[in-house]
Amino acid sequence: MLIQWYPGHMAKARRMLIENLKLIDVVVEIVDARAPRATRNPDFDDLFSQKQRVILLNKSDLASPQETKAWVEYYRRQGIAAIEFVATNSAKKKAAVTLIENAASEKVKRMREKGINKVVRAMVVGIPNVGKSTFINRIAGATRAQVGDKPGVTKGKQWVKVSPYLELMDTPGLLWPKLEDEGLAAHLAYIGSIKDDIMDVERLASGLLSELNVICPAELAARYKKITPEMPREELLEAVCRSRGFILSGNEADTERAARIVLDEYRAGKIARVTLDRVNEPMPEPNPKEEANDGTAE
Ligand SMILES: Nc1nc2c(ncn2[C@@H]2O[C@H](COP(=O)(O)OP(=O)(O)OP(=O)(O)O)[C@@H](O)[C@H]2O)c(=O)[nH]1
Ligand SMILES: [Mg+2]
């Protein structure tokens, strides 16, 4: 990988999650509906194996509706309660609360038999920028947790009380120490879960354009008129420049500007509602477990 993948603060955040596990009844894992495979931290299976877990496919307003439905079914078939979600509106707020309460219902029932009204404590986890803090604010009905359109906004844990019987814990976005699958890493970068300033944006945007030109060529050509379906990858950014008039003196294409525009427009859902990870594609080969890199680099 060319990117600094696992900064030191994430190792610290991981330790914080482990220290708080004993307080937690339910783990709410937020994934990005545009890349439900790439945005699932494989490390969580080990970390949370003893906990009730639910999955929210957030930002489903930016993903293909059919693919999102297929992903929800996929998780349910694996016995994991999952729903699609859009944290920037309230449409599924009730469904999300019910999902969390159902996951804790056995415990709540056992406590009630002992005469105790249990407070359900849920830890909201996920990789950077998937909408954990936005989700918490939505459920709490107020801006309690800080949000931002870049990864790494939440720095530490924060408890938010939703009701006398439900509390949510916000956590910093967490990646995993090693990611061998470059295709999945690229999807994380396209959706904005890895900081752009540690990557070559032109390479990134060309990769995104070439994937979109396979998944949704008509929508891509509608947005950037000079792009054609058969166009080779190395010509795509220049075609964006010609479409938008991003030409510097000496007739040179301003491909860096085009790259930033393409990434911004994709992330804002302006090109199309596209799911990059297709549910029916085979999972990448599992890698042999390696010693966790403690992430000393910042
Ligand atoms: N379109 C859309 N945008 C969303 C949705 N949920 C969150 N966002 C946006 O995504 C960006 C990141 O949201 P945050 O809530 O800060 O994400 P986070 O997971 O807490 O990020 P870190 O704290 O950096 O790990 C913000 O610009 C949100 O407005 C959604 O469902 N749809
Ligand atoms: Mg956050």
Side-chain angles (χ1 to χ4, degrees), residues 129 131-134 145-148 152-155 170-173:
N129 207 36
K132 300 174 292 298
S133 302
T134 309
Q146 197 191 345
V147 307
V153 172
T154 304
K155 307 285 186 209
D170 197 9
T171 66

Side-chain angles (χ1 to χ4, degrees), residues 46-252:
D46 285 340
L47 275 183
F48 306 131
S49 60
Q50 304 302 315
K51 295 288 167 185
Q52 291 292 327
R53 293 167 70 181
V54 300
I55 293 183
L56 249 73
L57 288 109
N58 192 40
K59 304 200 185 186
S60 58
D61 57 319
L62 302 175
S64 146
Q66 299 89 318
E67 279 290 323
T68 302
K69 281 193 176 51
W71 274 107
V72 167
E73 285 308 315
Y74 169 85
Y75 291 131
R76 288 183 183 163
R77 279 199 303 276
Q78 295 187 356
I80 305 173
I83 56 168
E84 59 184 274
F85 202 77
V86 180
T88 44
N89 71 45
S90 292
K92 292 269 172 85
K93 183 173 159 177
K94 182 116 204 320
V97 172
T98 305
L99 193 78
I100 297 170
E101 286 174 347
N102 284 349
S105 63
E106 280 292 314
K107 214 168 179 178
V108 169
K109 197 170 138 228
R110 277 202 310 275
M111 297 296 271
R112 195 168 293 141
E113 281 161 8
K114 295 183 192 162
I116 299 166
N117 274 333
K118 186 173 164 37
V119 179
V120 173
R121 292 196 176 85
M123 182 189 257
V124 178
V125 301
I127 69 160
N129 207 36
V130 288
K132 300 174 292 298
S133 302
T134 309
F135 165 74
I136 289 179
N137 290 337
R138 178 64 50 193
I139 299 300
T143 306
R144 306 282 291 280
Q146 197 191 345
V147 307
D149 63 353
K150 57 181 199 288
V153 172
T154 304
K155 307 285 186 209
K157 71 166 180 178
Q158 180 184 356
W159 281 106
V160 174
K161 198 168 181 164
V162 174
S163 76
Y165 299 109
L166 180 60
E167 291 179 11
L168 302 178
M169 185 178 136
D170 197 9
T171 66
L174 206 63
L175 294 164
W176 51 101
K178 278 197 177 2
L179 192 121
E180 276 83 2
D181 189 285
E182 294 232 2
L184 291 184
H187 289 181
L188 292 179
Y190 300 158
I191 63 170
S193 278
I194 305 173
K195 286 195 169 90
D196 280 345
D197 52 11
I198 54 174
M199 283 173 299
D200 177 344
V201 283
E202 292 180 42
R203 206 179 127 192
L204 202 61
S206 302
L208 173 61
L209 287 168
S210 67
E211 280 202 41
L212 295 178
N213 214 9
V214 173
I215 302 173
C216 56
E219 286 90 343
L220 193 64
R223 184 104 200 143
Y224 309 111
K225 303 272 186 292
K226 303 284 185 198
I227 288 184
T228 57
E230 305 76 30
M231 193 171 260
R233 179 183 176 133
E234 54 280 7
E235 290 175 21
L236 291 165
L237 264 188
E238 218 181 296
V240 172
C241 292
R242 281 188 281 116
S243 308
R244 293 285 173 89
F246 297 161
I247 307 296
L248 299 168
S249 60
N251 211 22
E252 194 194 332

